[in-house]
Amino acid sequence: MLTPAPVRDAEPVLAVADLRVSFRSLEVLRGLDLRVHAGECLAVVGPSGAGKSVLARSLLGLAGEGGAPARVAAATLRIAGRDLRGARERDWRRVRGRHVGLVLQDALGSLDPLRTVHAEVAETLHTSGRPAARGSAPVGERVRDALARAGLPEPDVVARQRPGALSGGMRQRALIASAIVAEPPLLVLDEPTTALDATVAADVLALLGRLRDAGTALLLVTHDLGAVARIADRVVVLADGRAVEEGPTARVLTEPHHAVTRGLLAALPRGPKPPPAPVIGTDVLLAGHGLRRTYPLPGRGPRGARTAVDGVAVTVRRGEALGIVGESGSGKSTLTRLLLAAERPDEGTVELDRAPWSDLPEARRRARRARIRLVPQDVLASMDPRRDVRRILRDAGASNPVALLARVHLGPEVADRMPRSLSGGQRQRVAIARALAADPELLVLDEPVSALDVAVQAGILDLLREVQDAGTALVLVSHDLAVVRRLCDRVLVLSEGRVVEEGAVETVWAQPRSEVTRALLAAASPVGGRGGR
Amino acid sequence: MRRALRGFTPGAWVALAVVVVMLVMVVAPGLIAPGDPTAIAPREAFEPPSLAHPFGTDESGRDVWTRVVHGAVSSLGVGLQATVIGVALAMVLGFAAGLGPRWLDAGIARVVEVLYALPTMVLALLLVTVRGPGLAASVLAVGLATAPGYARILRSRVRGVATSGYVAAARLDGLAPARVLTRHIAPNALWPLVAVLTLGIGQAVVWVAGLSFLGLGALPPSPEWGAMLNAGRVYLTTAWWLTVGPGLAITVTAAALTALGRAFGRVGVA
């Protein structure tokens, strides 16, 4: 490796001292000091509402964007040697892209669906218009180079595509390419891997590690401590707008000093399922035999079809928690839709309680739908925007919405709220309450905690454990293996529509037999123990 | 609704007040103008506006103000009826196209396009030829002419709502299709129509008045704004007030309804 040893005495790329950001009378950041050197990755972690995202936005002069006007004050605010205290919008415009790149969580929302990847990435070049770089290499070449550095195969092809044609991981890479195309010395990353599955996230982290080794300074804002353990050199723990702890990654993650840090680490799903072992019946509640489902590919004629689920057998016993894991595109979602009889399999059948389920006409299934309920991935979209929580729960068959809310540990005042006014964690609880309304025997959960931060996540996992202990079987679809291990009794690993491994969670953990499982386990970032690079 | 009204600007409140007054004119014109709109008083013909006759009197000595107020039934009332017919037709077409199979959707799209292609006036002439002039023909013509616009909006809304996450969730909760339709699809699809509808009534009033002005709608002795404009046109140089009264009524009504429709759209009734 030709990586030059980072010179830590040189001026840091990012130097911040006593940074304060307030919205009206509310002070969100209360005197923060940060330094990031070239070739270094500083992670900023903290519970929801600690001010992480405000920090990321403030470093690009975007603190007041799309909301209340923000007041930003600092003793020092220097990026790549430029004093940005009191910088105006036009000063910031010259800094963004050229000196600081920003990568956001929502890769689909951050890319214009109507423009090609080339146009999107090249835009940074046109707007930043580096005089030194101008004329050095044609735009097309630089875009291609950025796409290649972002780890996209066939950059020439990708450049001509639109975001809709790309997978989640590719979109995130395209977004990173647009942030690095002007070669800024500092990259601010706001939850860059949260929306990605384990293996894709691991790839993106590896890419970020390479960028860091090539000399880019990284500021990584995240609630994913696994990602922190993988690439961060130092960690700052933020709570309530202040840095409560700072230090080398390995030390902070293994010997946390502050209570907030300890809380974050404790909330992390880790280790096997806690005892006591749930009561699992011997009779099969839901069984799928030889399930197969193909989707026609547009424009490929009658022969072109993608097999999403290919000969899968599933059984769920009464009171059991079954995890379904796999990379994106492995058929997890299609399989859940088949189990719920939201879709009919091309081959095979699903039986509910030893009686036909998928073969019945919908009219005859309807009465039994109360026994198997779904908690969908996009919880907000699954709630009628014109109905409040009380009516949503009533619609689902609850006779006493307030008692149901108490069961998911929400207060009675939530009943009168509209779903969009609730926090992510509250919404998830309402979604679970709604699924429990009809007292189902089986709950199917599609990525129930992937969008939540660790503390909220831990609360939801505890709640789901309670639900299982009360006798309801769970089917948990997730890309987070730690979550599956914490909650499930048995696990099913899918790859390309087939079951590649199945068994008791701890057995699979200890002795994975399939390549895919091993890759997934390796990608699931361990925290503590072996931290650092 | 209460939340929507809180977002109203002063202008929107004025528009709302005007529309309420106009509705009173339709329902109980006697409350505002107690006189008889057809009572003739030849001695008082062509009197300019005064306290006794705010809009003056016409060639037969009839009070123009009274006639304008009583004319609201024929103009605004007919505009409302026409809109009801248009929306009713649009609901049938829109829901059928939005929820039905693809061939039905395509078929309805063609019908809607043909209706779109025919100008309102041509449609009205056609109906008048078949049925003879009168308000009934105006109502049908304007109703038919406005339906395709509403139908297109509804169809796309219904499609969007029907494929939404909450409708899928309701189905998986075991709700029967009819209940899904009445509880989730219909309210969410129809609600945005309120703003469009208010705008549409204003447009319908103008069309109804226009048809009467051309002699295709209300017939002369009955007080109708468009017909009054036409009758007053002859005396434009000697008795300007004959056209100003009804003209003002049409303009204010259409403007108020348009402003109200935009206010509904802005505060997000939709």
Side-chain angles (χ1 to χ4, degrees), chain A residues 340-342 362 366 369-370 372-374 381-387 395-396 418 420 434, chain B residues 3 164-177 183-185 187-188 191 269:
Chain A
L340 284 159
E362 179 62 24
R366 214 165 279 135
R369 284 225 172 265
I372 171 168
R373 283 284 162 101
L374 170 73
S382 76
M383 300 182 187
D384 190 330
R386 299 183 32 78
R387 301 176 89 76
D395 288 351
M418 301 303 277
R420 64 174 172 277
R434 172 209 193 150
Chain B
R3 212 174 312 154
S164 71
Y166 53 91
V167 165
R171 291 228 171 87
L172 288 182
D173 280 355
L175 221 61
R183 193 183 280 175
H184 297 292
I185 299 180
N188 279 291
W191 201 223
V269 161

Side-chain angles (χ1 to χ4, degrees), chain A residues 133-219:
Chain A
R134 198 177 270 170
S136 60
V139 168
E141 216 159 283
R142 296 190 58 190
V143 167
R144 213 183 45 188
D145 175 54
L147 291 172
R149 274 191 296 145
L152 282 163
E154 299 183 83
D156 287 314
V157 178
V158 172
R160 286 196 302 271
Q161 287 178 309
R162 280 168 232 283
L166 305 180
S167 71
M170 287 169 92
R171 282 199 289 252
Q172 195 66 36
R173 280 163 207 262
L175 203 61
I176 291 174
S178 76
I180 62 174
V181 68
E183 293 169 30
L186 174 66
L187 214 51
V188 176
L189 307 135
D190 191 355
E191 304 281 5
T193 55
T194 309
L196 307 175
D197 73 44
T199 41
V200 178
D203 285 353
V204 168
L205 288 176
L207 156 68
L208 293 175
R210 284 198 297 278
L211 287 173
R212 176 199 57 192
D213 292 341
T216 309
L218 303 182
L219 185 90

Side-chain angles (χ1 to χ4, degrees), chain A residues 169 173 193 196-207 230 326-330 332 479-481 494 515-525:
Chain A
R173 280 163 207 262
T193 55
L196 307 175
D197 73 44
T199 41
V200 178
D203 285 353
V204 168
L205 288 176
L207 156 68
R230 279 184 171 247
E327 296 179 32
S328 32
S330 60
K332 301 193 296 278
H479 66 249
D480 190 338
L481 290 165
L494 283 184
E515 264 320 300
V516 179
T517 318
R518 272 196 284 276
L520 282 169
L521 283 170
S525 322

Side-chain angles (χ1 to χ4, degrees), chain A residues 313-360:
Chain A
V314 198
T315 53
V316 184
R317 279 171 295 168
R318 210 172 278 281
E320 181 186 39
L322 172 72
I324 298 179
V325 298
E327 296 179 32
S328 32
S330 60
K332 301 193 296 278
S333 300
T334 307
L335 180 58
T336 31
R337 291 182 60 75
L338 293 179
L339 294 182
L340 284 159
E343 235 170 82
R344 204 174 273 268
D346 296 331
E347 282 170 31
T349 57
V350 181
E351 290 178 346
L352 180 63
D353 219 358
R354 290 156 198 261
W357 176 242
S358 64
D359 293 340
L360 291 179

Side-chain angles (χ1 to χ4, degrees), chain A residues 79-99:
Chain A
I79 294 173
R82 254 151 236 273
D83 188 355
L84 290 162
R85 281 175 301 167
R88 292 189 211 160
E89 177 55 27
R90 46 176 301 180
D91 303 326
W92 277 115
R93 272 206 293 273
R94 238 170 290 153
V95 172
R96 288 179 206 140
R98 206 190 321 180
H99 300 298

Side-chain angles (χ1 to χ4, degrees), chain A residues 264-290:
Chain A
L264 284 175
L265 286 165
L268 211 62
R270 189 167 26 183
K273 182 167 183 156
V279 186
I280 299 174
T282 46
D283 53 335
V284 171
L285 181 61
L286 186 77
H289 309 289

Side-chain angles (χ1 to χ4, degrees), chain B:
Chain B
M1 192 65 191
R2 209 175 302 150
R3 212 174 312 154
L5 288 182
R6 229 178 284 142
F8 264 31
T9 56
W13 281 108
V14 171
L16 185 63
V18 169
V19 170
V20 168
V21 170
M22 291 289 176
L23 287 179
V24 173
M25 287 185 185
V26 172
V27 178
L31 278 182
I32 295 175
D36 180 354
T38 48
I40 302 175
R43 281 159 187 271
E44 296 170 22
F46 294 121
E47 278 188 24
S50 63
L51 276 181
H53 305 288
F55 282 177
T57 58
D58 68 2
E59 69 276 10
S60 317
R62 293 173 296 201
D63 181 37
V64 177
W65 166 248
T66 311
R67 286 177 62 75
V68 165
V69 171
H70 287 259
V73 186
S74 323
S75 299
L76 184 53
V78 167
L80 279 170
Q81 284 175 42
T83 307
V84 168
I85 289 181
V87 170
L89 195 61
M91 274 170 68
V92 175
L93 293 176
F95 277 97
L99 299 173
R102 205 175 282 181
W103 58 266
L104 187 62
D105 184 25
I108 290 173
R110 296 296 92 75
V111 171
V112 164
E113 274 158 23
V114 169
L115 277 176
Y116 242 136
L118 286 174
T120 315
M121 290 296 168
V122 173
L123 210 59
L125 277 173
L126 197 75
L127 280 165
V128 169
T129 322
V130 178
R131 303 204 37 163
L135 277 177
S138 307
V139 170
L140 264 181
V142 175
L144 270 178
T146 50
Y150 297 131
R152 277 195 177 173
I153 296 173
L154 257 178
R155 176 204 167 263
S156 67
R157 276 298 300 179
V158 169
R159 282 257 140 151
V161 174
T163 53
S164 71
Y166 53 91
V167 165
R171 291 228 171 87
L172 288 182
D173 280 355
L175 221 61
R179 293 288 290 282
V180 175
L181 179 67
T182 54
R183 193 183 280 175
H184 297 292
I185 299 180
N188 279 291
L190 288 175
W191 201 223
L193 214 61
V194 171
V196 184
L197 210 74
T198 319
L199 284 165
I201 296 171
Q203 183 62 55
V205 167
V206 172
W207 271 335
V208 168
L211 288 175
S212 295
F213 180 82
L214 293 177
L216 302 172
L219 296 172
S222 69
E224 199 283 339
W225 299 341
M228 285 167 72
L229 270 185
N230 190 23
R233 186 172 51 96
V234 191
Y235 309 102
L236 203 56
T237 47
T238 52
W240 51 267
W241 53 89
L242 291 191
T243 44
V244 166
L248 215 57
I250 295 170
T251 314
V252 168
T253 309
L257 284 167
T258 306
L260 194 64
R262 292 180 137 256
F264 277 144
R266 210 173 28 242
V267 298
V269 161

